[in-house]
Amino acid sequence: MKVYVSANDITEAKRVAARLRGLDHEVVSTWHDEPNTNDDPSRALRNFFDIDRADAYVGVVAPEKVAGGKFVEQGYALGKGKKCFLLGARRENLSSHHPGFALVLDEQQIV
């Protein structure tokens, strides 16, 4: 399955992407493999393009409450009809309680 990985922590995103590749998923998100480009306006468009190419969205739940662009990506993926997974032990905000999001505890549950 083609997956887009979203996270607040780039190190954690890279770890999850590697685990998903090891489970024979194709990781189509590219932001975590590029230099920090938060000040590049085209980055958001590339992220949306990557989500469009994905079959599924995987949002990595942060250990504590944080804001970030992953919530925009989360809504975009849901609106595009992607399978949506939240990887972690809790739901981070109100929108993550939408029935379109499956809460999973490890990458093996992403199917």
Side-chain angles (χ1 to χ4, degrees):
M1 178 167 41
K2 294 179 182 178
V3 296
Y4 180 93
V5 177
S6 183
N8 295 95
D9 180 338
I10 193 166
T11 302
E12 187 65 9
K14 288 179 180 193
R15 185 195 69 77
V16 169
R19 289 247 331 162
L20 289 169
R21 287 184 188 109
L23 294 168
D24 292 327
H25 292 294
E26 179 183 348
V27 177
V28 298
S29 47
T30 57
W31 69 271
H32 43 76
D33 295 325
E34 298 176 355
N36 183 343
T37 56
N38 286 339
D39 58 348
D40 178 0
S42 68
R43 174 75 264 170
L45 294 176
R46 290 194 307 274
N47 289 350
F48 291 148
F49 175 75
D50 289 347
I51 292 169
D52 288 341
R53 295 184 311 128
D55 301 311
Y57 165 91
V58 177
V60 180
V61 176
E64 56 190 48
K65 190 172 184 173
V66 292
K70 80 175 180 185
F71 298 118
V72 174
E73 295 166 355
Q74 180 175 295
Y76 183 82
L78 183 66
K80 289 290 192 165
K82 306 297 178 178
K83 286 184 174 181
C84 293
F85 300 93
L86 300 175
L87 179 59
R90 67 184 181 87
R91 297 181 186 268
E92 293 182 279
N93 59 23
L94 182 61
S95 67
S96 66
H97 288 272
H98 186 283
F101 290 105
L103 189 63
V104 296
L105 296 177
D106 67 48
E107 292 87 352
Q108 291 180 332
Q109 295 177 285
I110 297 169
V111 292

